[in-house]
Amino acid sequence: KIADVSGGAMLRYLVGLDAFLVLSGAVLTSYVGVVGVTRRLALDSCVPEFLLAQNKWRGTNHWIIIGFFLVCCSMLSILQGDTAVLSKVYSVSFLGLMITFCIGNLMLKTKRGKLRRDLHAPVWSVMLGMILVSIGLLSTVVKEPSVIRVFGMYYTCSLLITAVMFSRKQVLKMIYRMVLGMGISEKFSNCCRSTMESFLASLEEEAALVNAKPLIFLTKGYNSHAMNKAVIYISENEDTQYIKFVHFMDPEKKQELPPEIESTVKFLDRIYPKFKIDLVIVEGEFSPA
């Protein structure tokens, strides 16, 4: 109305067009960000890998786009179009993310203090930032307690999906044993028996794919202690049984391959018979880029 009164119909249409372009850019940016984050999570086996499927027509990850659209529609429906509460849910999510950044930074300082980095944040500044962000988060929750219910519901669903992916090998084994426990009796029809047999075969195939997916360990130089610790960590925390040690050799520095690294990889391959351990040599500079 202000645009209509102050500048007439032309200004009203101009303001409407500007708002349309701004909102379109915001929606497009959100989809681009979600596709990128979900792709990275799927590649790291944090979410189901079928989300990586690409559309043959446009080459886009259609399942990610459709899934994000359904999540947005469901949230809008649950909140009955109340954009004020919706903005509070976003605030809780964003502030919670900032707190996890602070926690991650502190963990890196204690667990990986020798990592190379260009910027160094003092502990006091990280703690101060976390306290201030926590105050903002608490004030948002106190003003609108209903956001906890909505945020908790979606966060719990995401947490369950991630937990299943992290323990998918155990989940596959549990389902396999449950189906075997039911027994493929002759009392079942041929169609039912064949369905159960094909289901068991698909579970075995999926478990084999999980075991065969390689896990990459990048190494700059030769360190047998670190390589052995990497194998132990993978055996205790990962589902895969295939490890690739990737060693970088910078051709400009005329580096030579340490002879011990090949013998160490062969030795690790022998003493860990459940794992397949390979060595890959890459000519290039070992750097974050």
Side-chain angles (χ1 to χ4, degrees):
K1 291 183 178 180
I2 295 177
D4 195 12
V5 172
S6 59
M10 183 63 69
L11 182 59
R12 182 183 63 191
Y13 291 137
L14 183 61
V15 171
L17 178 62
D18 180 69
F20 173 78
L21 294 175
V22 171
L23 291 175
S24 299
V27 172
L28 180 61
T29 302
S30 66
Y31 272 92
V32 171
V34 165
V35 169
V37 170
T38 308
R39 277 181 56 85
R40 185 65 264 170
L41 291 173
L43 290 170
D44 291 338
S45 299
C46 297
V47 296
E49 294 183 2
F50 76 87
L51 295 172
L52 294 173
Q54 291 186 340
N55 190 295
K56 294 181 180 179
W57 183 40
R58 301 293 297 174
T60 55
N61 303 105
H62 50 279
W63 290 122
I64 299 177
I65 296 172
I66 295 172
F68 182 59
F69 174 75
L70 293 176
V71 169
C72 293
C73 290
S74 64
M75 186 175 292
L76 188 65
S77 175
I78 291 172
L79 296 176
Q80 299 179 350
D82 191 343
T83 55
V85 179
L86 185 62
S87 65
K88 296 291 192 307
V89 174
Y90 174 80
S91 299
V92 170
S93 303
F94 184 77
L95 293 173
L97 178 65
M98 294 298 102
I99 292 175
T100 57
F101 279 162
C102 295
I103 296 173
N105 186 283
L106 294 174
M107 291 179 66
L108 284 174
K109 289 180 182 298
T110 56
K111 299 289 186 179
R112 296 291 186 270
K114 295 182 180 179
L115 283 177
R116 293 175 57 188
R117 63 200 72 183
D118 296 329
L119 299 176
H120 294 266
V123 175
W124 67 266
S125 65
V126 178
M127 293 296 298
L128 178 61
M130 186 166 62
I131 292 172
L132 294 176
V133 173
S134 300
I135 293 173
L137 177 61
L138 290 175
S139 63
T140 303
V141 173
V142 169
K143 288 181 180 179
E144 194 65 52
S146 61
V147 302
I148 293 297
R149 176 177 59 85
V150 179
F151 175 79
M153 180 175 61
Y154 283 91
Y155 184 77
T156 302
C157 292
S158 303
L159 193 63
L160 286 175
I161 294 173
T162 306
V164 170
M165 288 301 299
F166 282 167
S167 57
R168 61 191 182 280
K169 193 173 179 180
Q170 290 75 13
V171 172
L172 290 172
K173 287 182 179 180
M174 182 180 65
I175 297 174
Y176 188 87
R177 290 170 182 169
M178 289 175 59
V179 176
L180 278 182
M182 295 171 57
I184 305 178
S185 174
E186 294 182 357
K187 297 179 181 180
F188 296 145
S189 63
N190 293 332
C191 179
C192 185
R193 285 202 305 271
S194 62
T195 301
M196 293 180 68
E197 290 173 355
S198 61
F199 180 67
L200 289 174
S202 64
L203 290 177
E204 292 176 354
E205 183 180 354
E206 184 64 28
L209 289 175
V210 172
N211 291 334
K213 186 177 181 181
L215 194 145
I216 309 299
F217 183 83
L218 304 178
T219 173
K220 180 182 179 182
Y222 169 70
N223 190 332
S224 59
H225 177 65
M227 295 168 70
N228 184 51
K229 285 182 63 176
V231 177
I232 295 174
Y233 173 85
I234 293 169
S235 64
E236 294 176 350
N237 298 277
E238 302 290 341
D239 292 327
T240 184
Q241 293 181 350
Y242 185 17
I243 306 173
K244 284 187 177 181
F245 287 100
V246 179
H247 178 74
F248 285 81
M249 295 178 59
D250 193 347
E252 296 182 357
K253 297 181 180 179
K254 298 181 179 180
Q255 295 177 334
E256 295 184 358
L257 179 66
E260 300 88 353
I261 193 169
E262 291 188 22
S263 59
T264 300
V265 171
K266 292 179 181 178
F267 176 72
L268 292 174
D269 193 37
R270 287 196 305 271
I271 64 174
Y272 296 102
K274 291 184 178 180
F275 288 88
K276 178 183 178 183
I277 304 177
D278 290 338
L279 175 64
V280 179
I281 308 300
V282 178
E283 289 189 359
E285 182 183 3
F286 185 84
S287 65

